[in-house]
Amino acid sequence: MMNTVKDNKQLSLVSLKEKVQEETKAIYAVEKFNLWYGENQALYGIDMSIPMNKVTAIIGPSGCGKSTFIKALNRMVELVPSVRMNGTVKYDGENIFSPKYKVEELRTNVGMVFQHPNPFPKSIYENVVYGPRTHGIKKKKILEEIAEKSLKEAALWDEVKDRLDENAFGLSGGQQQRLCIARCLAIEPDVILMDEPTSALDPVSTGKIEELVQNLKKRYSIVIITHNMQQAARISDKTAFFLNGQVVEHADTATLFSHPEDKRTEDYITGRFG
Amino acid sequence: MTVNIKRMINEKKANRRFLSILEKTVPAFFLLCASISVLTTIGITLTLLVETVTFFNRISIIEFLTGTEWWPFGENASYGILPLITGTLLITAIAMLVALPTGLASAIYLSEFAPGNVRKVVKPVLEVLAGIPTIVYGFFALTFVTPMLQLFIKDLPIFNALSPGIVVGIMIIPMIASLSEDAMSSVPDSMREGALALGSTRLEVALKVVVPAALSGIIASFLLGVSRAIGETMIVSVAAGSTPTLTTDVTQSIQTMTGYIVQVTLGDASYGSTTYYSIYAVGMTLFVFTLLMNLLAQYISGRFKEEY
Amino acid sequence: MNLVDKQLVQRRRKKRLFSNRIMRQIFFSASVFGIVVLAVLLYRIFREGLPYLDIDFLTSFASRFPEEAGIKAAITGSVWLMAVTAPVSVVLGVGTAIYLEEYAKENMFTRFIRMNISNLAGVPSVVFGLLGLTVFVRLMEMGRSIIAGGFTMSLLILPIIVVASQEAIRAIPNSQYEASYAMGATKWQTIRRVVLPAALPGILTGGILALSRAIGETAPLLMIGALSFIAYLPENIWSGFTVLPIQIFNWTARPQEEFHLVASTGIIILLFILLLMNSVAVLIRHKFSKRY
Ligand SMILES: Nc1ncnc2c1ncn2[C@@H]1O[C@H](COP(=O)(O)OP(=O)(O)O)[C@@H](O)[C@H]1O
Ligand SMILES: [Mg+2]
């Protein structure tokens, strides 16, 4: 049984790869990317392309550079003063680290959801419309429309529609995280980066967010870091395994979990370390 | 859905130019704000220096520093600052004799002994005491403390060094108490537990473990207290009198440097007179004294910051 | 053989526990000393001052006769002075704090500004008075006016506001900045729409406490020549003025006992204003204490 599956996979792999390349454009192309925090190198020669309108999961043990990597994708790493880097990260064909590239524009197109929900100490409504306001949309009617649309998209509308004026800190952790997703959706990004968005949440909230991610991938390209391999297997199309600042393996999720090419990937997914 | 957010955001890109100009001018404005504090220091230094130099063109610096008589009015004016300095130091010494033991004792009590509810009462009271305007303390010294002292000390004149000295001390207690307590509270519990486990009493822990460990913070609070006492103005203006006297007798009327400056600016020493310039020379001396104390306090609390 | 003489230890322990108890009492008394002083002070002031406290006192000008003396001019002057001091010191103080916390690079100049601010906090108020007298009153020819007094006071309380604002800004967690930057907000947008609102309670509390210091400050204003006897109300920021603490000083400095009673009444008003300001500060601090 196992063998036949393996053979079939092996056979179809080549054609599948071609198919993927035909079907989906890469939204990000990362080439020979190195990054240092001061003297410590955190990323080593990353080469990776991230497909459009798919969910890419990033797995790997703590401290292997997952967060650093996705923070490089929207240049949030630059908030750490000691960061140095070289190599290229192309978003939509343009190198985001080139001097004339507008970082605000990049971050408008690339949203981010963090490990710990980080709503502003303002009302639920004010949280959602933060982005549109920032980008100059001021009409109340439009803002309200955007708020409703984003909250619906984040599957939070029904829970909060009667208390949009209440402080966001009154929401539960899971609701706060979905609020942060709604806030991110309110400027209609193309890509959503998620850094362990469910690791601080209970199982029910986690389930809701996983479901949400499934729905969102129709319209957004999603990169999600997760500690939880079942989660990666459940929700992602592609998976990249990071170890010590390097990409060990990057493949279709099904392939990576059933037939890891690298011994280290296998050790990790079978729970031998990490 | 009718709204196309992406398109709207793109349409607003015209704003970006304005934003990027803001992004450059705003930090310049904040830098300007920050420069004001530097300008203030420069202003103080220049003001004091320039006018003091004018003063020293008329009165020799030697006479100023070594003269034992301060009588800046009339024909036989003499400008020896020593009486003002001893007056200031006398007040400071009395104040510290009151403030240091009391402040330190309350700090030890609050940090090592006090149950929560006592802290809840004492700390706000100390804050209130720290917030009372000095003119109120001055009034208190003149109308309450002096008459009280007169009950014990026969012939104590209305204006004397003792009463304002004590009141300046009271005013400084909260400062010493809270700064010392901060220093003691930052001593980790593990150090206390070690001593307690050996059977030490709370008192022994406080005096032999906590106070030595927090010593630099305590000394810094003491120095800052001294600096405050030297610079205190209204209490001494109201209650110490205005007779510069080279004395260590606390029952006599004296004058401090600050008291003198206020006295001159209150009366109308004509602009440009030697008396007028003398306040800058005195101000300079005062400034140097307090600056030294502050720098020393910073040095000690920075240099000997205990690493736990 | 016993190395430790048990009996000796016993006896010593008794002594040690005894001194522990005694010293504890002494330390306790020292802590209570402040409460006693405060109680005596308030008792004296209220006993002497309350009889004079009525509407006439609030609505009359100062007078040669204690029964007729009032503090209308002083209260108005203090309000005018605050109207200048509050905006100037808050804008400068918050601006400085934002510069130091958000924009300043770690270099010599920044370290110099930091050191400078902590030293300014320790400069005696008479020295600020000399600065105000020389620079604002004479050099800039503002005269003995509200604006000269307001500027002097602003500089005097600037360090307090800077430090309070810095602490308020530093208390904002990094995740708040990240949330804003990740939405494509610029630095200034982030400061204006995330940092300042979040720091506002701390800034307000610090600002109110700083202003309550300014409202009780006497010496620098005496020196720049705030008058102690005026029988008119200020018309604009160039007018001469007096303030509450100066009026109190003036009454205290008079030899007649009756004026001391009037001074007590003035002090009641001053303390009442301070109590009011501090209550507001405490309320703000309490309302916003638990966040993030
Ligand atoms: N702000 C920072 N400053 C210095 N080193 C950092 C910083 N953030 C992360 N690192 C280092 O970079 C490496 C990768 O960290 P990170 O990307 O957070 O890992 P992961 O998200 O996979 O757990 C770690 O060794 C970590 O210590
Ligand atoms: Mg991480």
Side-chain angles (χ1 to χ4, degrees):
Chain A
M1 172 74 192
M2 265 315 257
N3 268 338
T4 52
V5 172
K6 192 171 184 175
D7 288 345
N8 283 347
K9 269 271 156 63
Q10 212 81 6
L11 280 176
S12 63
L13 209 65
V14 181
S15 56
L16 199 92
K17 256 185 188 160
E18 279 166 1
K19 225 173 161 187
V20 166
Q21 261 161 15
E22 268 168 31
E23 257 177 27
T24 63
K25 215 176 115 214
I27 186 90
Y28 270 107
V30 182
E31 288 156 21
K32 298 199 190 69
F33 186 70
N34 296 301
L35 186 144
W36 293 262
Y37 288 110
E39 293 302 306
N40 299 328
Q41 186 159 8
L43 296 177
Y44 296 83
I46 308 284
D47 277 301
M48 194 168 149
S49 75
I50 294 171
M52 199 181 237
N53 292 6
K54 295 267 186 250
V55 177
T56 303
I58 295 179
I59 59 170
S62 245
C64 67
K66 305 181 299 292
S67 298
T68 303
F69 176 68
I70 72 163
K71 280 186 183 163
L73 297 181
N74 66 350
R75 287 177 57 177
M76 292 287 281
V77 269
E78 288 174 1
L79 296 184
V80 180
S82 67
V83 156
R84 287 180 301 125
M85 53 216 154
N86 61 31
T88 54
V89 175
K90 282 188 180 151
Y91 171 74
D92 214 4
E94 275 185 83
N95 184 3
I96 62 172
F97 290 109
S98 84
K100 57 182 192 298
Y101 199 94
K102 283 261 188 312
V103 68
E104 285 85 19
E105 206 155 310
L106 173 72
R107 291 179 188 154
T108 312
N109 294 327
V110 180
M112 187 164 210
V113 177
F114 299 83
Q115 182 168 1
H116 295 277
N118 57 356
F120 299 121
K122 304 173 190 252
S123 72
I124 295 171
Y125 172 77
E126 284 299 326
N127 264 281
V128 183
V129 300
Y130 181 84
R133 281 229 170 110
T134 298
H135 295 289
I137 297 172
K138 297 208 176 75
K139 287 214 185 71
K140 200 166 182 296
K141 271 208 77 167
I142 296 178
L143 288 175
E144 278 169 5
E145 209 170 317
I146 293 176
E148 180 174 346
K149 169 177 173 286
S150 316
L151 285 167
K152 276 182 177 159
E153 226 176 348
L156 190 61
W157 176 250
D158 291 331
E159 289 159 63
V160 301
K161 63 171 183 261
D162 300 322
R163 46 175 177 148
L164 292 176
D165 291 330
E166 281 173 31
N167 195 299
F169 282 30
L171 298 174
S172 74
Q175 288 174 325
Q176 287 189 11
Q177 193 63 302
R178 274 179 287 149
L179 177 64
C180 292
I181 294 175
R183 183 175 65 188
C184 168
L185 296 176
I187 50 173
E188 287 188 348
D190 296 322
V191 182
I192 303 175
L193 308 173
M194 298 181 154
D195 189 348
E196 302 191 33
T198 61
S199 70
L201 304 181
D202 61 279
V204 177
S205 307
T206 300
K208 282 189 181 157
I209 287 184
E210 285 185 12
E211 198 178 315
L212 182 57
V213 169
Q214 289 300 325
N215 291 331
L216 291 176
K217 81 171 177 193
K218 289 164 202 146
R219 270 154 295 139
Y220 305 93
S221 317
I222 295 174
V223 183
I224 182 168
I225 297 179
T226 172
H227 238 88
N228 178 331
M229 273 166 292
Q230 282 81 27
Q231 183 173 67
R234 274 197 300 271
I235 63 178
S236 70
D237 305 299
K238 288 263 195 177
T239 298
F241 172 56
F242 273 57
L243 187 63
N244 299 333
Q246 285 169 308
V247 187
V248 172
E249 198 165 343
H250 179 209
D252 281 341
T253 300
T255 320
L256 187 124
F257 280 103
S258 55
H259 297 95
E261 276 176 16
D262 197 292
K263 177 79 169 58
R264 290 169 294 175
T265 315
E266 191 180 332
D267 286 350
Y268 183 70
I269 61 180
T270 53
R272 236 163 274 167
F273 70 90
Chain B
M1 217 14 93
T2 49
V3 290
N4 183 336
I5 303 172
K6 259 208 131 50
R7 212 188 58 222
M8 280 191 296
I9 289 176
N10 275 328
E11 279 165 4
K12 301 279 179 190
K13 274 212 183 122
N15 287 354
R16 292 273 163 84
R17 265 180 66 94
F18 175 65
L19 269 185
S20 70
I21 294 173
L22 256 189
E23 224 42 56
K24 290 207 184 68
T25 47
V26 158
F29 171 74
F30 290 137
L31 176 61
L32 197 72
C33 292
S35 318
I36 297 287
S37 75
V38 177
L39 283 183
T40 307
T41 304
I42 295 175
I44 288 174
T45 321
L46 275 186
T47 302
L48 293 177
L49 265 182
V50 170
E51 310 287 44
T52 303
V53 166
T54 316
F55 177 75
F56 284 139
N57 282 338
R58 302 187 190 177
I59 307 294
S60 93
I61 190 166
I62 307 284
E63 186 195 330
F64 178 74
L65 289 179
T66 59
T68 56
E69 212 188 347
W70 186 268
W71 182 250
F73 308 104
E75 292 291 296
N76 327 348
S78 78
Y79 295 92
I81 199 178
L82 284 179
L84 292 183
I85 291 183
T86 55
T88 304
L89 293 183
L90 198 57
I91 294 283
T92 307
I94 301 168
M96 293 324 287
L97 278 178
V98 172
L100 189 67
T102 320
L104 200 53
S106 10
I108 294 178
Y109 183 74
L110 288 175
S111 147
E112 305 301 314
F113 291 96
N117 50 0
V118 176
R119 285 175 61 93
K120 268 197 203 119
V121 176
V122 173
K123 291 206 81 168
V125 169
L126 288 180
E127 264 177 56
V128 171
L129 277 177
I132 288 180
T134 54
I135 179 65
V136 178
Y137 279 115
F139 177 82
F140 186 63
L142 183 70
T143 65
F144 179 71
V145 178
T146 303
M148 286 289 281
L149 290 172
Q150 280 171 331
L151 295 179
F152 300 102
I153 305 169
K154 280 228 161 66
D155 309 327
L156 183 73
I158 293 191
F159 298 118
N160 59 73
L162 188 56
S163 163
I166 292 173
V167 176
V168 171
I170 292 175
M171 181 198 78
I172 292 172
I173 289 173
M175 181 177 172
I176 296 205
S178 78
L179 288 178
S180 300
E181 201 224 330
D182 286 349
M184 292 184 202
S185 306
S186 65
V187 174
D189 274 340
S190 57
M191 287 178 71
R192 293 188 183 85
E193 281 153 11
L196 282 173
L198 290 174
S200 304
T201 61
R202 282 257 158 211
L203 176 70
E204 288 158 352
V205 172
L207 297 184
K208 291 185 187 149
V209 177
V210 179
V211 169
L215 199 59
S216 67
I218 295 172
I219 293 176
S221 82
F222 175 77
L223 290 172
L224 290 176
V226 170
S227 163
R228 268 289 281 284
I230 292 176
E232 172 42 42
T233 311
M234 292 322 290
I235 302 175
V236 291
S237 294
V238 168
S242 47
T243 39
T245 326
L246 190 62
T247 179
T248 51
D249 179 0
V250 295
T251 62
Q252 280 200 37
S253 165
I254 49 110
Q255 188 164 44
T256 63
M257 295 189 268
T258 53
Y260 172 71
I261 295 173
V262 165
Q263 188 200 357
V264 170
T265 49
L266 266 185
D268 17 35
S270 50
Y271 176 65
S273 65
T274 309
T275 310
Y276 174 81
Y277 287 115
S278 72
I279 60 174
Y280 292 93
V282 174
M284 184 66 147
T285 316
L286 174 71
F287 181 64
V288 170
F289 265 80
T290 53
L291 187 68
L292 282 180
M293 287 297 154
N294 293 336
L295 288 179
L296 199 60
Q298 276 173 34
Y299 174 77
I300 286 179
S301 64
R303 177 76 167 39
F304 300 106
K305 189 143 234 150
E306 289 84 5
E307 306 280 345
Y308 301 117
Chain C
M1 206 196 94
N2 253 339
L3 281 178
V4 184
D5 179 349
K6 283 253 167 75
Q7 273 195 335
L8 190 66
V9 171
Q10 282 274 313
R11 243 179 301 141
R12 283 248 178 88
R13 176 172 320 134
K14 266 209 186 116
K15 245 176 88 185
R16 284 166 53 213
L17 285 176
F18 180 70
S19 61
N20 186 50
R21 241 188 350 264
I22 295 293
M23 288 308 284
R24 189 195 153 98
Q25 283 310 315
I26 292 176
F27 292 156
F28 175 72
S29 317
S31 308
V32 172
F33 180 64
I35 301 180
V36 174
V37 170
L38 188 64
V40 171
L41 192 149
L42 290 179
Y43 172 75
R44 297 263 318 170
I45 284 167
F46 275 88
R47 211 195 57 187
E48 292 186 346
L50 270 184
Y52 278 87
L53 184 60
D54 54 18
I55 287 296
D56 281 349
F57 182 74
L58 295 175
T59 56
S60 315
F61 290 107
S63 162
R64 278 190 300 130
F65 308 104
E67 321 74 65
E68 291 173 11
I71 52 164
K72 186 178 181 182
I75 290 187
T76 324
S78 282
V79 172
W80 271 93
L81 188 75
M82 287 306 115
V84 174
T85 308
V88 173
S89 62
V90 169
V91 168
L92 288 180
V94 176
T96 305
I98 294 179
Y99 178 76
L100 287 176
E101 293 304 312
E102 304 290 342
Y103 289 103
K105 303 213 169 50
E106 218 18 83
N107 56 25
M108 284 285 284
F109 181 63
T110 306
R111 273 198 295 280
F112 177 68
I113 294 183
R114 288 216 172 89
M115 198 188 80
N116 185 49
I117 286 166
S118 62
N119 280 325
L120 273 184
V123 172
S125 58
V126 275
V127 174
F128 280 97
L130 285 175
L131 175 76
L133 177 65
T134 318
V135 174
F136 297 132
V137 175
R138 295 213 197 285
L139 208 64
M140 296 186 177
E141 296 181 349
M142 291 175 184
R144 307 174 162 238
S145 61
I146 291 171
I147 188 165
F151 282 179
T152 309
M153 278 304 168
S154 300
L155 297 184
L156 179 75
I157 61 173
L158 188 58
I160 309 178
I161 298 188
V162 172
V163 170
S165 310
Q166 276 183 295
E167 277 170 11
I169 292 174
R170 255 182 249 147
I172 301 170
N174 232 336
S175 61
Q176 294 281 309
Y177 290 83
E178 288 181 333
S180 175
Y181 285 130
M183 304 290 299
T186 60
K187 185 159 197 165
W188 169 233
Q189 284 178 319
T190 303
I191 292 173
R192 187 166 59 88
R193 302 193 43 215
V194 176
V195 177
L196 283 181
L200 194 61
I203 292 173
L204 280 180
T205 314
I208 293 173
L209 293 180
L211 287 178
S212 64
R213 161 95 194 272
I215 214 164
E217 195 58 72
T218 321
L221 294 178
L222 273 180
M223 295 171 58
I224 67 154
L227 307 161
S228 48
F229 188 95
I230 57 173
Y232 56 88
L233 295 182
E235 284 171 1
N236 54 41
I237 51 172
W238 303 101
S239 305
F241 68 108
T242 188
V243 290
L244 273 172
I246 289 186
Q247 190 62 67
I248 294 168
F249 170 69
N250 180 267
W251 283 328
T252 307
R254 294 189 188 208
Q256 302 98 312
E257 282 284 329
E258 290 83 8
F259 274 110
H260 291 177
L261 305 182
V262 182
S264 294
T265 319
I267 290 175
I268 294 178
I269 303 289
L270 180 60
L271 291 183
F272 178 73
I273 294 175
L274 289 175
L275 181 73
L276 220 61
M277 293 172 77
N278 280 269
S279 311
V280 173
V282 169
L283 272 183
I284 294 175
R285 188 155 53 178
H286 183 75
K287 181 148 188 286
F288 293 95
S289 61
K290 284 191 212 87
R291 296 202 305 173
Y292 307 119

